[in-house]
Amino acid sequence: MFKVLQNTWALFFGFALISLGHGLQGTLIGVRSVLEGFSFFASGLIIAGYYVGYLTGALTIPIFLQRVGHIRVFAALASLASIAILLHSIFVHPYSWMFIRILTGLSLAGIYVIMESWLNEKSTNQTRGQLLSVYMIITFVFVGAGQFLLNLGDPAKVDLFILVSILLSFALLPILLSSTEQPSTESPKFFSLREFYSVSPLGFVGALATGLSHSAVFGYGAIYASSISLSLFEISLYMMIITSAGALSQWPIGYLSDRIDRRIILIGVSFMASGLSLFFVFANFMPLALFLIFTGLFSIACLPMYSLTVAHTNDFLQPNEIVSASATFGILIGIGSIIGPLFVSSFMEILGAVGFYIYLFLIHGLLGLFGLYRMTQRIKPRDLESQYNPLPRNISPAGMEMNPVTEPTEDEKVF
């Protein structure tokens, strides 16, 4: 394990800088949108633009990897992301920002594909889970730390946009100067949506719900916090608690899901997140400390949804189906992530800031209800060796391949 980390330190270091910049720019753009007076719907279009790019990147970047290799594509995408963030300070208009965010989403989707496929190449069956855990920790810790960089400058000025560009550009150096051999990439193959649903209906709906939920939480969280008049420091603290609490909950919830019917855990956290959302209706009347405590509890229930859904789906896949199923899983996440900001912005236009958590109440509640319905339709799956690995919400299809799989029987595969 330590030998693998020594051989991939440059990859992790570069990715940490990208995560730091990514954490800052997401919150920065949300805060700046409020300062510029963009409507909730216009802000929703901007956030949806990121996920349009993300979906496009997940589908197209593997083609470029086959043609020119991981290092060249990584350098091109990091450069594109660095340029895109500076364009925000030049063209300050919601529709311009929407198209710029498409470029950012495409760039970061490709970077995640490269990161995870590279780790997959360097790992073995005995080290994949551990490497993925390190990857998850880096993602959440540095995305969370990026929130506090918001306090280093004035969001109304260009300084913070330049800082993001510097971080993204600097992330190129350790990768380009590393002598690590780049991995090979196989031709992509995809499940149809109908085939994926037939394998795991709950996995299908869970993927959509995760995209609908997490795109709102991470894309609209800063906008929500600004709209209830939190200070810059309080906004960064709010977003940091969301990422850090979600990271801390991954292992204990995963431990339970390996020993109890995984559907029960997924249903439980969905209803928990749904119920906690209602408390935020009274956010304006809460002391800040209580508000942040409820934020952490909500994140503990919300963020493991992705990993639980991936693990549940993997329980019923053959080993040679993982890559193709994961690509379709990524498409579902992308579809949900594009629709989510548009839906939550509509809720906030109609209901005000409280619409943010009303929307999350409905998404998590409906997932929990669908999970209960599925449990009445099919039998409990057999006890499987651990399929749960804590995965970040924005993991690319390549990341699913790193989740170990136990081959199901023919009877269980129909679940």
Side-chain angles (χ1 to χ4, degrees):
M1 175 63 182
F2 290 105
K3 184 177 180 180
V4 176
L5 289 175
Q6 286 178 345
N7 293 333
T8 56
W9 72 268
L11 192 62
F12 279 119
F13 183 69
F15 182 71
L17 293 176
I18 288 173
S19 297
L20 195 65
H22 180 46
L24 171 58
Q25 71 172 312
T27 304
L28 172 61
I29 288 171
V31 172
R32 183 65 179 268
S33 296
V34 175
L35 294 176
E36 295 294 339
F38 296 165
S39 68
F40 287 133
F41 182 74
S43 298
L45 288 176
I46 293 168
I47 296 166
Y50 170 82
Y51 291 105
V52 170
Y54 188 90
L55 177 60
T56 303
L59 293 172
T60 59
I61 292 303
I63 298 173
F64 291 99
L65 291 178
Q66 286 184 288
R67 292 180 178 177
V68 299
H70 286 62
I71 293 178
R72 289 183 179 178
V73 176
F74 184 94
L77 294 175
S79 298
L80 180 60
S82 179
I83 293 169
I85 190 63
L86 293 177
L87 292 177
H88 286 284
S89 62
I90 300 173
F91 303 101
V92 186
H93 188 277
Y95 296 112
S96 299
W97 279 21
M98 180 185 71
F99 288 108
I100 295 169
R101 289 297 282 171
I102 291 175
L103 296 178
T104 301
L106 189 152
S107 301
L108 291 176
I111 288 170
Y112 292 133
V113 169
I114 292 169
M115 177 74 184
E116 293 153 15
S117 62
W118 211 320
L119 290 179
N120 187 58
E121 179 83 7
K122 296 299 177 184
S123 63
T124 65
N125 290 338
Q126 289 72 37
T127 61
R128 278 195 179 97
Q130 298 172 73
L131 278 178
L132 195 55
S133 298
V134 174
Y135 172 64
M136 181 276 294
I137 292 169
I138 288 174
T139 300
F140 281 117
V141 168
F142 282 89
V143 168
Q147 316 300 323
F148 284 101
L149 296 180
L150 188 67
N151 298 280
L152 297 181
D154 184 353
K157 297 180 180 179
V158 72
D159 305 35
L160 292 176
F161 291 95
I162 294 175
L163 177 58
V164 174
S165 179
I166 291 172
L167 289 171
L168 294 174
S169 299
F170 190 65
L172 281 169
L173 298 181
I175 304 297
L176 295 178
L177 297 177
S178 172
S179 60
T180 303
E181 184 180 355
Q182 62 182 349
S184 60
T185 304
E186 297 181 356
S187 300
K189 172 187 173 184
F190 299 100
F191 266 112
S192 69
L193 295 179
R194 178 178 296 182
E195 289 171 334
F196 190 91
Y197 184 85
S198 67
V199 170
S200 177
L202 183 56
F204 183 101
V205 175
L208 280 175
T210 301
L212 289 167
S213 170
H214 289 187
S215 63
V217 170
F218 286 94
Y220 242 86
I223 295 174
Y224 164 78
S226 296
S227 67
I228 61 172
S229 302
L230 295 184
S231 68
L232 282 180
F233 176 77
E234 290 166 349
I235 292 171
S236 58
L237 185 61
Y238 170 77
M239 295 303 297
M240 186 276 292
I241 288 175
I242 287 177
T243 55
S244 59
L248 291 173
S249 68
Q250 296 275 345
W251 280 115
I253 287 179
Y255 179 87
L256 288 175
S257 76
D258 287 336
R259 286 153 180 80
I260 304 172
D261 187 342
R262 211 182 305 279
R263 297 171 296 175
I264 294 176
I265 304 300
L266 179 57
I267 293 167
V269 297
S270 297
F271 281 136
M272 179 180 172
S274 182
L276 287 167
S277 298
L278 294 178
F279 285 93
F280 290 92
V281 173
F282 309 101
N284 288 331
F285 305 99
M286 290 184 192
L288 179 62
L290 184 61
F291 173 79
L292 295 176
I293 288 172
F294 276 115
T295 296
L297 293 174
F298 173 82
S299 178
I300 284 171
C302 175
L303 292 197
M305 283 172 54
Y306 186 97
S307 296
L308 287 168
T309 305
V310 169
H312 172 75
T313 304
N314 278 4
D315 284 344
F316 307 101
L317 292 174
Q318 299 284 353
N320 61 355
E321 295 174 329
I322 289 293
V323 176
S324 55
S326 68
T328 307
F329 195 97
I331 292 172
L332 291 168
I333 291 286
I335 292 172
S337 297
I338 292 168
I339 298 172
L342 301 179
F343 276 11
V344 73
S345 64
S346 299
F347 273 77
M348 294 179 74
E349 288 282 3
I350 297 170
L351 301 174
V354 71
F356 178 73
Y357 277 103
I358 296 296
Y359 167 82
L360 293 171
F361 162 77
L362 292 174
I363 294 299
H364 291 90
L366 290 173
L367 176 59
L369 290 174
F370 184 79
L372 288 177
Y373 166 72
R374 291 308 310 168
M375 289 192 70
T376 67
Q377 299 300 302
R378 287 176 179 170
I379 61 173
K380 175 183 176 181
R382 67 183 171 92
D383 294 330
L384 297 173
E385 183 182 345
S386 173
Q387 297 298 307
Y388 182 95
N389 277 319
L391 307 178
R393 66 175 182 89
N394 51 5
I395 194 170
S396 75
M400 273 187 70
E401 185 180 359
M402 301 174 67
N403 207 29
V405 179
T406 301
E407 184 173 338
T409 66
E410 290 301 318
D411 291 337
E412 292 159 348
K413 194 178 175 184
V414 300
F415 179 80

